[in-house]
């Protein structure tokens, strides 16, 4: 008989491991946590125990504080054993930041999808509309105030601070590929909308899903439009990606990049679908009430009902555009571009 779907998320581990310590969450699967210099102040990393060392899933932010903590883990957790392979779920700085540094130290390969590998290099080099100026141009078209644009320009390439160096070569994986690690076979489940080609890992023999940023227990994954695809509908891609996770066994242990490990995949996905549907309805209602075409910047307070710092506003703008583009693609709102490039939406 199949296990019943839970009505609340189950958290089998009440607290995260302490700095420089590890906790085993499944056979041959260790959980460690690293700090982040943001409001979201941590990332979970996963070490899969091998006969000759460890496979590491995700690497932490590439700053001095994280590398100092890694140095402690080399003694306390790895106990002198090597990292024999690195798997990066995607290219964001908290996941890829130390990949090149660790790969060079241990002489190991970095495994990731091609789109994430290429995106990392494009963002570092600010090529092909992946630069700060391109993002500011997009946000200006969508109504962001000049003072906020100036602040974004002034901080420069924030990505490069978290990923000082991207791997110069990689082992490519595709959707459906199987990675043998930690004495389990992990199938790659692709995800879209949050990043170009996110790779979650599912091991049926362990009953474990390493979900990366695709499934988080408390917060919703950022889904945003960026200047390389200004007319895209990443929210549709994200929601479609969730379908592959809905069919996993309901008692699977989900190991997320942020928050605590949990059980209750179907419940969490149902919440995410309902959450985005509600936000879309609220945006549509706000546009209808406004009576005149509105910018994405004007709609940010509808989605985020709190004060935002610079980093949060950066993601909030991308997310507001994503939700408005979704409404536009669905035919629920119109989108018009003025002669000066200003983009506005109307119900």
């Amino acid at each position: 008989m199949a296990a019943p779907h839970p009505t609340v998320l189950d958290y089998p581990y009440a607290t995260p491991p302490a700095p420089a310590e590890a906790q085993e969450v499944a056979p041959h699967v260790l959980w460690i946590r690293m700090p982040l210099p943001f409001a979201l102040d941590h990332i979970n990393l996963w070490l899969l125990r091998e006969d000759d060392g460890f496979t590491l899933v995700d690497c932490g932010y590439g700053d001095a504080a994280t590398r100092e903590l890694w140095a402690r883990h080399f003694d306390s957790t790895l106990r002198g054993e090597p990292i024999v392979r690195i798997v990066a779920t995607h290219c964001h700085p908290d996941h890829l930041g130390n990949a090149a540094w660790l790969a060079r130290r241990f002489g190991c390969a970095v495994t990731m999808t091609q789109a994430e590998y290429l995106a990392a290099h494009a963002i570092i080099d600010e090529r092909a509309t992946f630069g700060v100026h391109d993002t500011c141009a997009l946000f200006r078209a969508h109504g962001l105030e000049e003072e906020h644009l100036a602040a974004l320009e002034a901080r420069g390439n924030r990505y490069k601070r978290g990923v000082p160096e991207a791997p110069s070569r990689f082992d490519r994986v595709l959707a459906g590929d199987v990675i043998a690690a930690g004495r389990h076979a992990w199938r790659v489940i692709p995800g879209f909308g949050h990043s170009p080609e996110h790779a979650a890992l599912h091991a049926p023999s362990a009953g474990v899903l390493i979900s990366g940023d695709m499934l988080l227990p408390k917060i919703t994954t950022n889904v945003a439009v960026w200047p390389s695809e200004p007319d895209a509908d990443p929210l549709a891609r994200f929601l479609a990606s969730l379908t592959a996770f809905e069919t996993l066994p309901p008692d699977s242990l989900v190991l997320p990049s942020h928050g605590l490990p949990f059980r209750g995949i179907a419940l969490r996905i149902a919440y995410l679908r309902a959450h985005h549907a509600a936000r879309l309805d609220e945006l549509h209602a706000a546009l209808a009430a406004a009576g005149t075409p509105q910018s994405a910047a004007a709609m940010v307070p509808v989605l985020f009902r709190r004060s935002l710092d610079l980093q949060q506003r950066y993601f909030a703008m991308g997310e507001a555009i994503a939700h408005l583009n979704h409404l536009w693609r669905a035919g629920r709102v119109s989108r018009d571009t003025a002669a000066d490039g200003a983009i506005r939406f109307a119900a």
Side-chain angles (χ1 to χ4, degrees):
M1 179 181 295
H5 290 283
T7 56
V8 295
L9 295 184
D10 171 40
Y11 296 97
Y13 304 97
T15 58
E21 294 184 5
Q23 182 168 353
E24 188 170 50
V25 293
H28 313 295
V29 181
L30 301 180
W31 172 22
I32 64 176
R33 179 170 280 198
M34 293 291 187
L36 293 177
F38 313 117
L40 179 60
D41 62 3
H42 71 274
I43 179 172
N44 302 319
L45 311 180
W46 314 100
L47 285 162
L48 313 179
R49 192 186 303 278
E50 312 287 4
D51 292 336
D52 57 349
F54 295 87
T55 290
L56 170 65
V57 181
D58 289 335
C59 305
Y61 195 79
D63 62 359
T66 303
R67 293 185 178 183
E68 187 277 331
L69 194 51
W70 262 122
R72 294 166 62 187
H73 273 293
F74 296 154
D75 296 327
S76 64
T77 303
L78 275 62
R79 298 183 181 180
E81 294 186 74
I83 293 173
V84 297
R85 176 173 49 192
I86 295 166
V87 179
T89 60
H90 60 299
C91 70
H92 292 167
D94 47 339
H95 300 261
L96 192 66
N98 292 298
W101 176 70
L102 288 168
R104 184 165 50 250
R105 177 186 177 93
F106 291 103
C108 65
V110 177
T111 298
M112 59 194 303
T113 62
Q114 185 177 61
E116 300 291 341
Y117 174 81
L118 295 176
H121 284 276
I123 300 169
I124 288 174
D125 295 339
E126 298 194 88
R127 295 180 181 272
T129 67
F130 280 89
V132 175
H133 296 300
D134 304 297
T135 301
C136 287
L138 175 69
F139 288 177
R140 179 176 289 108
H142 281 281
L144 188 62
E145 297 88 343
E146 287 298 325
E147 63 176 302
H148 297 319
L149 291 167
L152 284 174
E153 288 270 14
R155 76 173 189 170
N157 191 337
R158 186 68 176 266
Y159 182 88
K160 193 171 183 178
R161 295 192 191 115
V163 187
E165 176 187 4
S168 58
R169 58 183 61 86
F170 74 117
D171 287 341
R172 184 182 181 185
V173 289
L174 301 167
D177 282 354
V178 174
I179 299 171
R183 305 175 197 180
H184 298 287
W186 301 82
R187 179 172 61 89
V188 175
I189 302 177
F192 303 96
H194 174 65
S195 67
E197 193 183 2
H198 186 290
L201 304 173
H202 177 237
S205 61
V208 170
L209 170 70
I210 297 178
S211 65
D213 280 351
M214 288 300 295
L215 285 179
L216 305 174
K218 294 289 187 182
I219 60 176
T220 55
T221 302
N222 177 256
V223 178
V225 166
W226 302 114
S228 57
E229 295 184 89
D231 301 332
D233 186 358
L235 182 56
R237 295 175 186 164
F238 177 75
L239 295 172
S241 297
L242 294 179
T243 302
F245 299 99
E246 286 175 311
T247 60
L248 299 181
D251 59 348
S252 297
L253 178 64
V254 181
L255 305 182
S257 292
H258 310 286
L260 299 174
F262 69 94
R263 290 187 174 90
I265 289 179
L267 182 68
R268 185 58 183 160
I269 291 175
Y271 171 83
L272 291 173
R273 293 193 186 282
H275 166 83
H276 286 293
R279 293 297 176 270
L280 290 165
D281 287 345
E282 289 169 5
L283 274 178
H284 186 268
L287 287 171
T292 58
Q294 298 292 309
S295 68
M299 293 292 100
V300 165
V302 177
L303 295 177
F304 300 91
R305 303 180 185 94
R306 64 182 188 277
S307 61
L308 302 172
D309 62 25
L310 181 61
Q311 179 77 355
Q312 291 166 336
R313 186 176 295 107
Y314 171 77
F315 288 119
M317 273 297 297
E319 188 140 349
I321 300 168
H323 281 74
L324 289 164
N325 273 7
H326 187 79
L327 289 171
W328 168 54
R329 291 291 189 182
R332 296 179 64 186
V333 306
S334 63
R335 193 187 83 163
D336 296 302
T337 304
D340 63 357
I343 299 172
R344 300 295 182 263
F345 298 84

